[in-house]
Amino acid sequence: QVQLVESGGGLVQAGGSLRLSCAASGRTFSGGGMGWFRQAPGNEREFVSAINWSSGGTSYADSAKGRFGVSRDNAKNTVYLQMNSLKPEDTAVYYCAAMEYCSGSGCHVRLREYAYWGQGTQVTVSS
């Protein structure tokens, strides 16, 4: 049993910042990781960023590089997504997800690798 709860979304102007949080409770995966995904209206859910729980290694979608930063607090079982220089195209529902383990190049960008998902938090960026 794993519960993931996102928070921190909201409405901001272009160029602004938000920090999303994802708190995990119940069973966690020390050998796995946490991913951030987003889904805009009319689009499929897409990978944004991921972090390895034990090593802290990170990965970013091209759209997020240079603007977003993912981090974790292992003691609190919480991951964060710092979002800077936000653009209207960042508008979406953002989800965090947890995986126990995956193997293969780029496996962490695949939705099907994640067994547990949060409820999502809305991020809206106005022009």
Side-chain angles (χ1 to χ4, degrees):
Q1 178 67 42
V2 175
Q3 299 281 347
L4 304 175
V5 180
E6 299 103 330
S7 62
L11 193 157
V12 297
Q13 291 182 279
S17 298
L18 286 172
R19 189 180 75 156
L20 307 183
S21 299
C22 177
S25 61
R27 184 169 63 94
T28 56
F29 312 114
S30 61
M34 193 77 71
W36 287 97
F37 295 79
R38 67 187 183 188
Q39 187 166 23
N43 292 351
E44 295 191 344
R45 194 168 299 184
E46 65 177 359
F47 171 77
V48 177
S49 184
I51 187 165
N52 183 284
W53 271 114
S54 60
S55 73
T58 59
S59 178
Y60 298 93
D62 287 343
S63 60
K65 291 177 181 177
R67 299 188 299 127
F68 295 1
V70 65
S71 60
R72 93 286 200 220
D73 185 334
N74 292 46
K76 296 182 178 180
N77 283 338
T78 300
V79 297
Y80 306 93
L81 185 67
Q82 179 67 46
M83 308 167 66
N84 300 320
S85 301
L86 284 163
K87 306 173 181 179
E89 51 262 47
D90 295 318
T91 295
V93 177
Y94 284 70
Y95 300 88
C96 67
M99 73 161 72
E100 183 172 356
Y101 178 79
C102 74
S103 180
S105 180
C107 68
H108 56 276
V109 311
R110 297 195 291 263
L111 276 70
R112 62 184 172 89
E113 302 290 351
Y114 293 82
Y116 304 96
W117 293 81
Q119 82 287 353
T121 185
Q122 176 71 48
V123 171
T124 302
V125 185
S126 62
S127 300

